[in-house]
Amino acid sequence: MTSITRRHALRAFAAGTAGVTAVSGASIPGASAATGGARQRAFAAAAAEFGVPEPVLLAVSYLKSRWDSHGGAPSTGAGFGPLHLTDLRAVAAGGSHHDHGAEDPRGDTARRVLTPRTSPALQTVDLAASLTGVDAETLRTDPEQNIRGGAAVLAHYQRELGVRADRPDDWYGAVARYSGSSDTGAAAFFADQVFATITTGASRTTDDGQAVTLPATPVSPRREQVRALGLPTIAEGAPEAPPGLPVEWIPAPYQDLGNGDYGNYDQADRPNSQQITHIVIHDTECSYDEAIGLVQDPTYVSWHYTLRSTDGHVAQHVLTKDVAWHAGNWYLNAKSIGIEHEGFAAQGTWFTEAMYRASATLVRYLAGKYRIPLDREHIVGHDNVPGTVPSTVAGMHWDPAPYWDWAHYFDLLGAPLSRRPLRQPTGMVMIKPDFASNTTGYTGCDTSAPAAACPARGSSALFLRTEPRDDAPLLSDPGLHPDGGPSTTGISDVGSRVSTGQRYAVAETRGDWTAIWFLGQQGWLRSSGVVPVLGQVVTPRPGLESVPVYGRAYPEPAAYPAGIPPQEIVPLQYTLPAGQKYTAGPAVPGEYLWATTFDPAQHVVVRGTTQYVQIQFGHRVAFVKLDDVLVTRTRP
């Protein structure tokens, strides 16, 4: 990725997991630490050594890491290990993902292009080192010592609060402080999630094969303890927040910058003006504090919400009725909500359970409010958003990248992927590898050594091959590799990659391999990474050798009123050949939001008669004209 000038480059920018068992209402058999594995015994030993109730230590770790060690790699909040000891010095980064590459977050050529800052973070690894005598490097990389360090920090917080008690109920204040939150609401939300986990219990196998169980234990936490932390109470005031989730209102500036320029979003009247059909999941590629600073800059771009990694704290910046500049595709910007998650996809970092839960709570609320289906056709990653025209394809962004756990996220959304598994072939499959064991080999996480292998960590994505063998070349993507060469294993290269929850039409099967239609080619992957599903597919109408594929669903020129220049309907550099099938997502209208002035009264939604179908064409979605294709339903 290359940097480009600040303001102009920015407007060019903006135009469940295997082994998891949730248990509620009863103790979990076989949970004794004496008979548990090494990770379970480490929790029991650390709890006893530092006087922390074992259920509290287990639940805090679950809300931070789900007990995973992540091989010593940092989280998106600069936290390490099962207890998420934070060390910003080891994960220094700057800028945001909107500062890199050639993507225009607004994604609208009718307006000229827009184009920034490291913030302090908690250093709990230093406190843990002083309390345990263990050096920071060991605390970051040794799971057992990390658990000891986390228990020592919790016990230290409890002593500072002056509370002496053995019952989990009396540890609410220390747990709230361990969240790392800078305000009372976020600290209390984290603590509430921890104590809810104690109440329901949990059991899973970690990323390194450790079985850990937290027996269900009824608790009545002393929530009033949070006041003793002395944290400020932020006036949340966010106009669109689900019950029980504190959401802070930090508005993005809608500001006239003179000379016909303005920032950093467009006022609108959705869903009255246009339906909201998609929610786009991003990561920030910078710290939460830095992202908050950027979204308040009128010369920068915008998004609707930001989530903090450490505790899942949420801030809203743009009303969902308004159009934020975030996805790099103006058609989807006009019909979507953008949510940024504190994270560093390029560094191969991992996302905390606290943030997953807060995000799922928010998205479930927004999807219900706007009747957005909870599936991968409507809840998409930034990496699934298509380029608008051929020249923008290569510069599109690829966050939140393969380390976002889509299966777990949809479990938290209450919409498990493939909830009714089919046993017989249907002609369509859903991508569904086991996240923890799918340690797909990527390169390029370390920008100083782009050819070096990324850490071997769980992933939601799989590579496609040109033939049914593991050493076959990857597919070619003419948009990303116009020289005709194959795609690569680079973490930013989505040219031959599929992701959990995406659905594709089957082209062929051979033994343990399945071929799917992908970018006009057959792509092979192991059948163990897919499950059969039902749905609709599109194929060219009889008599058509191929049909064009589009990155946006714009109306026909005749639909534009006088004074509004028609937006060109430009096919991408791909085609959908006869005989191939692609899974159909929603049918969408040909629409264009003309918004080039500070005064929203002058904005116009242009609607045509042309209808489109969203399809899963490659790793990204695309659009085809409904008149060009036949839509049929798959059958067992």
Side-chain angles (χ1 to χ4, degrees), residues 49-401:
E49 179 182 0
F50 295 100
V52 181
E54 188 176 348
V56 171
L57 187 61
L58 282 163
V60 167
S61 177
Y62 192 88
L63 256 293
K64 289 292 189 181
S65 69
R66 297 175 76 218
W67 305 323
D68 287 336
S69 67
H70 294 283
S75 78
T76 61
F80 292 82
L83 262 294
H84 198 258
L85 294 174
T86 52
D87 189 353
L88 183 66
R89 290 191 303 270
V91 194
S96 101
H97 75 291
H98 293 298
D99 296 318
H100 308 289
E103 183 200 80
D104 164 11
R106 196 173 193 272
D108 178 21
T109 54
R111 293 232 329 138
R112 66 188 182 87
V113 185
L114 285 174
T115 139
R117 306 171 176 128
T118 283
S119 63
L122 294 175
Q123 285 288 133
T124 56
V125 72
D126 295 344
L127 177 58
S130 68
L131 293 169
T132 63
V134 178
D135 64 90
E137 171 66 18
T138 302
L139 287 166
R140 289 195 302 264
T141 57
D142 184 312
E144 182 176 340
Q145 294 301 325
N146 183 274
I147 292 168
R148 287 187 67 244
V153 170
L154 265 172
H156 175 77
Y157 290 163
Q158 185 78 342
R159 288 193 299 273
E160 288 201 330
L161 288 171
V163 179
R164 300 183 181 277
D166 297 326
R167 298 186 312 142
D169 307 36
D170 297 311
W171 284 71
Y172 188 92
V175 168
R177 184 174 176 187
Y178 199 93
S179 70
S181 302
S182 56
D183 65 275
T184 298
F189 178 77
F190 177 86
D192 286 344
Q193 293 289 308
V194 167
F195 280 88
T197 303
I198 294 173
T199 300
T200 61
S203 180
R204 71 182 296 266
T205 300
T206 66
D207 59 355
D208 53 355
Q210 297 286 320
V212 182
T213 297
L214 167 62
T217 305
V219 286
S220 300
R222 293 176 55 188
R223 301 187 78 253
E224 72 279 2
Q225 288 182 349
V226 74
R227 293 196 295 268
L229 301 181
L231 297 174
T233 299
I234 293 176
E236 290 148 14
E240 296 161 301
L245 180 68
V247 179
E248 184 180 3
W249 176 238
I250 304 177
Y254 189 67
Q255 184 173 326
D256 189 344
L257 302 173
N259 298 318
D261 204 1
Y262 66 94
N264 59 4
Y265 64 92
D266 281 290
Q267 292 188 348
D269 187 28
R270 304 184 306 176
N272 297 318
S273 55
Q274 288 184 282
Q275 290 296 311
I276 299 173
T277 56
H278 293 74
I279 296 174
V280 182
I281 303 298
H282 300 257
D283 78 20
T284 60
E285 292 300 318
C286 67
S287 72
Y288 172 85
D289 290 341
E290 189 168 6
I292 295 301
L294 293 172
V295 80
Q296 295 179 86
D297 181 347
T299 69
Y300 201 68
V301 294
S302 60
W303 47 92
H304 291 90
Y305 296 87
T306 305
L307 278 83
R308 189 165 58 204
S309 175
T310 300
D311 56 357
H313 177 66
V314 184
Q316 182 177 6
H317 315 296
V318 178
L319 298 176
T320 57
K321 75 178 184 65
D322 295 329
V323 177
W325 303 346
H326 62 97
N329 183 309
W330 185 241
Y331 177 81
L332 282 173
N333 273 349
K335 300 177 74 65
S336 69
I337 295 169
I339 303 178
E340 292 277 2
H341 299 76
E342 183 181 19
F344 303 92
Q347 297 180 19
T349 48
W350 48 277
F351 301 91
T352 64
E353 179 68 3
M355 187 163 66
Y356 274 128
R357 289 191 175 202
S359 178
T361 301
L362 175 63
V363 168
R364 188 167 57 245
Y365 161 78
L366 294 171
K369 180 177 181 177
Y370 292 112
R371 299 182 180 180
I372 301 172
L374 291 173
D375 56 40
R376 285 301 316 275
E377 286 79 35
H378 298 83
I379 312 299
V380 299
H382 195 179
D383 55 341
N384 305 133
V385 175
T388 52
V389 295
S391 62
T392 66
V393 169
M396 296 301 290
H397 287 182
W398 47 274
D399 58 296

Side-chain angles (χ1 to χ4, degrees), residues 258-589:
N259 298 318
D261 204 1
Y262 66 94
N264 59 4
Y265 64 92
D266 281 290
Q267 292 188 348
D269 187 28
R270 304 184 306 176
N272 297 318
S273 55
Q274 288 184 282
Q275 290 296 311
I276 299 173
T277 56
H278 293 74
I279 296 174
V280 182
I281 303 298
H282 300 257
D283 78 20
T284 60
E285 292 300 318
C286 67
S287 72
Y288 172 85
D289 290 341
E290 189 168 6
I292 295 301
L294 293 172
V295 80
Q296 295 179 86
D297 181 347
T299 69
Y300 201 68
V301 294
S302 60
W303 47 92
H304 291 90
Y305 296 87
T306 305
L307 278 83
R308 189 165 58 204
S309 175
T310 300
D311 56 357
H313 177 66
V314 184
Q316 182 177 6
H317 315 296
V318 178
L319 298 176
T320 57
K321 75 178 184 65
D322 295 329
V323 177
W325 303 346
H326 62 97
N329 183 309
W330 185 241
Y331 177 81
L332 282 173
N333 273 349
K335 300 177 74 65
S336 69
I337 295 169
I339 303 178
E340 292 277 2
H341 299 76
E342 183 181 19
F344 303 92
Q347 297 180 19
T349 48
W350 48 277
F351 301 91
T352 64
E353 179 68 3
M355 187 163 66
Y356 274 128
R357 289 191 175 202
S359 178
T361 301
L362 175 63
V363 168
R364 188 167 57 245
Y365 161 78
L366 294 171
K369 180 177 181 177
Y370 292 112
R371 299 182 180 180
I372 301 172
L374 291 173
D375 56 40
R376 285 301 316 275
E377 286 79 35
H378 298 83
I379 312 299
V380 299
H382 195 179
D383 55 341
N384 305 133
V385 175
T388 52
V389 295
S391 62
T392 66
V393 169
M396 296 301 290
H397 287 182
W398 47 274
D399 58 296
Y403 299 137
W404 180 268
D405 190 344
W406 284 106
H408 179 55
Y409 191 59
F410 271 83
D411 285 346
L412 294 174
L413 286 171
L417 298 172
S418 189
R419 70 183 77 187
R420 292 183 292 275
L422 302 172
R423 299 191 180 279
Q424 64 269 53
T426 63
M428 181 186 294
V429 292
M430 175 184 288
I431 309 302
K432 202 166 183 292
D434 174 65
F435 183 87
S437 63
N438 179 37
T439 53
T440 303
Y442 301 102
T443 56
C445 291
D446 182 352
T447 56
S448 65
C454 295
R457 291 191 41 246
S459 165
S460 61
L462 296 168
F463 290 124
L464 297 176
R465 305 283 175 179
T466 55
E467 298 179 43
R469 51 188 177 84
D470 292 318
D471 60 349
L474 302 180
L475 301 183
S476 177
D477 181 340
L480 300 181
H481 302 280
D483 59 358
S487 298
T488 71
T489 58
I491 194 167
S492 63
D493 189 343
V494 300
S496 189
R497 186 186 300 170
V498 291
S499 181
T500 295
Q502 293 178 327
R503 299 180 305 150
Y504 295 89
V506 174
E508 187 182 351
T509 57
R510 291 187 207 169
D512 295 334
W513 291 79
T514 296
I516 60 173
W517 294 116
F518 187 95
L519 296 179
Q521 308 161 70
Q522 283 193 22
W524 291 90
L525 73 167
R526 291 276 182 181
S527 300
S528 57
V530 301
V531 293
V533 291
L534 296 171
Q536 292 184 318
V537 295
V538 303
T539 193
R541 287 188 180 274
L544 297 177
E545 293 185 3
S546 65
V547 300
V549 176
Y550 302 93
R552 53 193 184 186
Y554 278 175
E556 66 280 2
Y560 289 79
I564 298 180
Q567 298 297 299
E568 202 174 354
I569 302 177
V570 181
L572 298 177
Q573 53 267 74
Y574 315 100
T575 60
L576 194 166
Q580 296 188 10
K581 296 179 179 180
Y582 291 84
T583 56
V588 298

